[in-house]
Amino acid sequence: IPVSVKMRLGNEDMDLALDNALGVQEAGAAWLTVHGRTKRQGYRPPAYWDRIGAIRERVTLPVIANGEIWTLEDARRCQAESGCQDMMLGRGAVANPLLTREVAGGEPAGWPEVLAVLRDFGADIVGTGSEAQLCGRVKQWLSYSRRRWPEAGPLMESVKRETRLADLRAILGRDSGGNNAGQVVSF
Ligand SMILES: Cc1cc2nc3c(=O)[nH]c(=O)nc-3n(C[C@H](O)[C@H](O)[C@H](O)COP(=O)(O)O)c2cc1C
């Protein structure tokens, strides 16, 4: 069973990043994912992809770069600065669940396609938590989507006070996303 490790560049500072990575390697991890920020830096941009590269150069296990990849352009810059072929997407994959396809060379997604994924998610989670938790998950996703899709803004406004998943899903189902007329929107 391959065991992998994920780490930040550090807690307060980055001084121990390489030592920690070497320790992970020595312990036999199959690969190492590095979020290019310290804990103190939280989620504030930038992510220091070059620092991930400095680690990659000194270890032999595969290193996966993570942090602040929101677009295809970010992904290409991250690859160039870190020298890592492989990346882990966090919030970027929530804002655009089809970003991996684009990064892998496929078609960029449009909002109707993304909205369809969000609707499927709303259907898939039925029965997996309290109404408040489930509504929270859909709203959290929609909220991240606003960063990439202007269409998500008005939709967020219309669902933000909903406390029942069925009502929330009905609103998502009603929204045609602009140009996806003819698409099945009920679930
Ligand atoms: C919805 C969500 C769930 C996450 N869950 C985990 C987790 O279980 N373990 C973990 O190490 N990091 C988790 N993260 C952090 C991400 O793996 C990633 O390190 C962080 O978001 C930075 O990448 P980003 O700038 O692409 O978002 C999560 C992030 C998000 C947005």
Side-chain angles (χ1 to χ4, degrees):
I1 299 172
V3 177
S4 67
V5 171
K6 174 157 171 265
M7 64 177 233
R8 281 183 179 253
L9 285 172
N11 201 25
E12 296 291 318
D13 58 48
M14 304 177 185
D15 292 355
L16 290 174
L18 180 60
D19 279 355
N20 286 331
L22 289 168
V24 165
Q25 172 166 284
E26 195 163 322
W31 68 88
L32 169 65
T33 303
V34 183
H35 177 183
R37 284 182 275 240
T38 62
K39 188 170 177 219
R40 178 190 281 268
Q41 287 163 343
Y43 279 84
R44 272 191 315 282
Y48 296 89
W49 299 322
D50 58 326
R51 299 296 189 114
I52 303 173
I55 292 172
R56 184 193 54 76
E57 283 172 2
R58 300 283 302 275
V59 297
T60 52
L61 85 174
V63 174
I64 318 292
N66 168 240
E68 219 61 39
I69 301 166
W70 296 93
T71 63
L72 175 63
E73 293 69 38
D74 292 339
R76 296 292 172 253
R77 270 196 303 120
C78 173
Q79 284 176 313
E81 288 181 28
S82 67
C84 295
Q85 170 74 21
D86 297 312
M87 293 160 285
M88 175 189 278
L89 306 182
R91 294 161 301 157
V94 183
N96 178 3
L98 296 159
L99 181 58
T100 44
R101 182 178 76 190
E102 193 180 344
V103 171
E107 283 292 303
W111 172 244
E113 203 180 357
V114 170
L115 183 57
V117 176
L118 187 54
R119 286 196 194 106
D120 287 347
F121 176 68
D124 287 346
I125 62 175
V126 170
T128 64
S130 70
E131 289 283 310
Q133 285 167 335
L134 302 187
C135 286
R137 280 197 229 158
V138 176
K139 288 178 197 173
Q140 184 187 22
W141 191 346
L142 203 50
S143 175
Y144 273 121
S145 303
R146 286 185 295 189
R147 178 164 176 143
R148 172 66 181 80
W149 313 100
E151 297 92 330
L155 205 47
M156 184 69 199
E157 280 306 305
S158 15
V159 303
K160 76 178 179 196
R161 287 196 181 76
E162 293 301 334
T163 52
R164 293 188 54 240
L165 184 64
D167 296 340
L168 206 156
R169 289 174 59 204
I171 293 171
L172 294 187
R174 270 206 303 275
D175 188 283
S176 68
N179 54 3
N180 61 342
Q183 189 170 321
V184 176
V185 293
S186 57
F187 38 67

